[in-house]
Amino acid sequence: MKIGLVGLPGSGKTTCFRILSGQTMVDSHHGATIATVALPDPRLDAIFEAEQPKKMTYADVTFVDFAAVHKGDGAKKELALHKVAGDVDALALVIQCFGDLNHLGETLEPCSDLETLLLEMSLSDLAIIGKALDKLNAGPKAERTPQVMGLLERCREHLGRGVALREMAFSEEDRKLLRGFAPLTLMPLIAVCNIAEDDLMGDRIASLRAKADQMGLPHVEISAELEREIAELSEEDQIEFMADYGMDALARDRFIRACFEILDLITFFTVNENEARAWTIARGATAPEAAGKVHTDMQAGFIRAEVSALKQFEQHGSLQACKDKGYQRVEGKEYVVAEGDILQIRFSR
C-alpha cells in the first residue's frame, strides 16, 4: 500500500508525514520524500510464536510526502506530483484546521482549502490530458486510435467542465489506458483534517466534515502537532499521555485503518519453515491472485491452497492441529481469500 500526502503550504502535511512514517526518510524523488514502514500485527506475532519459522515479516505501507501545492499551480502546468504519483494507491489531502490564519495571513477557511486542492488536481489532469492529445495529433496517424482519442477527448471535456475523473464511468480497459497518465482525480482520496490540540473532538470542523460527506470523501482527524509530542515520549509515558487526552489509538493506526477501508484491502498470511509473513490484497481476490502477491511463479503454476482460518488457528494453536482436527481446507482457483486466512500455496515449478 502506497499513500501520497498532498497539501497547501502551512497545512502541516510534512508533520503528518513524519508522525505516520516515524520520521524514517528512506528515499527522495522529484522533490517527494518517501518512507516505507512495517505494520505490526499481533496476529502475525501469534503465528510466528506458534510455528517458529526463522523470521517474521510484517506487511508494510509506503508514505510519500509530495511538495506543497500552491494555488494556481495546476492552471500553469501539471503539478510536480504527477511525476511520482503513478504508483500511489491513494492520496491523502491534508487540510489545515488549526489556528485562525493560513500561511498567507488570511482567515483560515478549511472548506475553501479542500476545494482549492481538488481544483488544482483537476487543472493538472486537464494539462496532462491536453498535452497527450496535442502529442498524438502531431504524431503518426497510426497512434491516433479511435479508442484512445475518444477516451482522452471525453476526459478533457469533463475536466474542462469541472468534473473529476472519478465521477465518470470507465470500462476496465479504459482505466488501464488512463493509468499511463496517472490522473490525480481518478485516484481514491481521503481528507486528513489536521486539527488543533484543544479540538480533538473536531468541534470546529463540522463544516469541513459536512463538505467532505457531501462530496463522498472519507475523512480522518489528526492533531499532527500533538502526535509529534507523543512520538517523542517513552512507551510508558505515551500511554499515560494518551489517557490524559482521551485517545485510544495513535494517528497512524487510525489513518491506516481508514486507508484499508477506502482501498478495500484485507490481510492474509503465509508461513513455512523459513518465514511467517503478512500480505495485503484487494478484497475479493482469489487464491491464485494471492499467490501472485507472494511470487509471480506461484500464480502461474498455482495448483491449490491449503487454508486455515485465523479463528480456528487461534483456537487450536497450530496449523498441524487445524489439519489434524479437520479445520484446514483445500481450495482451488476459484476460492476468494478472506480476511486473516493463513495460506499454504501449492504450485508447480
Side-chain angles (χ1 to χ4, degrees):
M1 182 168 63
K2 192 172 187 178
I3 309 297
L5 276 68
V6 182
L8 299 176
S11 63
K13 169 183 60 65
T14 296
T15 304
C16 285
F17 171 79
R18 287 173 179 164
I19 63 171
L20 292 172
S21 66
Q23 304 188 44
T24 304
M25 314 302 184
V26 298
D27 196 10
S28 182
H29 186 54
H30 286 293
T33 305
I34 305 169
T36 299
V37 297
L39 299 177
D41 190 327
R43 300 173 299 177
L44 184 62
D45 294 341
I47 294 171
F48 177 77
E49 181 66 25
E51 299 298 317
Q52 293 290 300
K54 294 177 182 177
K55 66 176 183 176
M56 174 174 64
T57 305
Y58 293 118
D60 59 39
V61 58
T62 297
F63 297 108
V64 184
D65 181 22
F66 292 114
V69 174
H70 293 79
K71 190 173 183 179
D73 280 355
K76 300 172 188 173
K77 60 185 185 312
E78 66 270 19
L79 297 176
L81 65 90
H82 254 119
K83 294 182 175 68
V84 285
D87 62 346
V88 169
D89 297 309
L91 292 174
L93 310 183
V94 182
I95 310 298
Q96 180 186 350
C97 301
F98 58 88
D100 299 317
L101 304 175
N102 65 15
H103 71 289
L104 297 174
E106 302 167 339
T107 300
L108 187 67
E109 296 183 5
C111 289
S112 177
D113 287 351
L114 174 59
E115 291 172 345
T116 295
L117 279 176
L118 294 172
L119 175 61
E120 295 300 325
M121 289 193 295
S122 291
L123 292 172
S124 182
D125 279 354
L126 187 58
I128 289 286
I129 297 298
K131 184 184 291 187
L133 280 167
D134 291 344
K135 184 176 180 180
L136 285 170
N137 283 319
K141 187 175 180 180
E143 295 181 5
R144 300 197 296 270
T145 65
Q147 181 183 6
V148 173
M149 296 299 290
L151 173 63
L152 294 181
E153 288 285 6
R154 186 159 63 99
C155 289
R156 181 165 67 177
E157 177 189 352
H158 280 74
L159 287 165
R161 292 193 286 108
V163 178
L165 297 184
R166 78 182 63 84
E167 298 175 33
M168 297 173 58
F170 294 110
S171 67
E172 187 55 38
E173 189 173 356
D174 283 347
R175 287 182 178 274
K176 288 179 180 177
L177 287 172
L178 285 173
R179 284 186 198 125
F181 304 99
L184 305 177
T185 64
L186 194 56
M187 292 183 179
L189 300 178
I190 182 170
V192 177
C193 310
N194 189 4
I195 58 178
E197 292 185 35
D198 59 354
D199 188 32
L200 295 186
M201 299 305 294
D203 295 332
R204 299 178 209 153
I205 60 168
S207 59
L208 178 58
R209 282 197 297 244
K211 182 77 172 178
D213 288 339
Q214 180 185 9
M215 294 178 170
L217 185 62
H219 50 84
V220 62
E221 291 78 40
I222 294 176
S223 176
E225 188 58 32
L226 180 62
E227 295 276 345
R228 183 192 63 77
E229 295 175 22
I230 293 174
E232 294 174 353
L233 301 174
S234 66
E235 186 174 344
E236 183 178 341
D237 288 342
Q238 282 185 6
I239 295 172
E240 183 177 347
F241 192 96
M242 290 171 62
D244 289 342
Y245 276 88
M247 300 168 60
D248 58 0
L250 291 172
R252 187 172 76 174
D253 299 332
R254 292 186 288 107
F255 177 76
I256 289 172
R257 282 201 301 269
C259 290
F260 264 74
E261 289 176 8
I262 66 169
L263 294 172
D264 205 15
L265 299 176
I266 63 171
T267 302
F268 72 93
F269 305 98
T270 58
V271 59
N272 55 36
E273 61 181 13
N274 292 316
E275 181 184 41
R277 184 160 183 167
W279 308 84
T280 56
I281 198 169
R283 189 181 305 277
T286 61
E289 290 170 329
K293 289 284 288 187
V294 181
H295 198 285
T296 52
D297 289 348
M298 296 178 73
Q299 181 170 6
F302 180 88
I303 299 173
R304 66 181 184 276
E306 295 167 5
V307 183
S308 298
L310 186 67
K311 183 178 179 181
Q312 297 296 339
F313 175 84
E314 292 173 339
Q315 181 177 348
H316 299 291
S318 72
L319 292 177
Q320 187 61 51
C322 289
K323 184 175 182 178
D324 292 343
K325 295 178 182 296
Y327 289 111
Q328 188 179 81
R329 311 185 312 276
V330 176
E331 301 286 358
K333 294 182 178 181
E334 303 303 316
Y335 177 70
V336 175
V337 179
E339 171 68 44
D341 273 352
I342 305 172
L343 304 183
Q344 293 176 290
I345 299 163
R346 309 304 178 192
F347 66 104
S348 59
R349 300 180 185 275

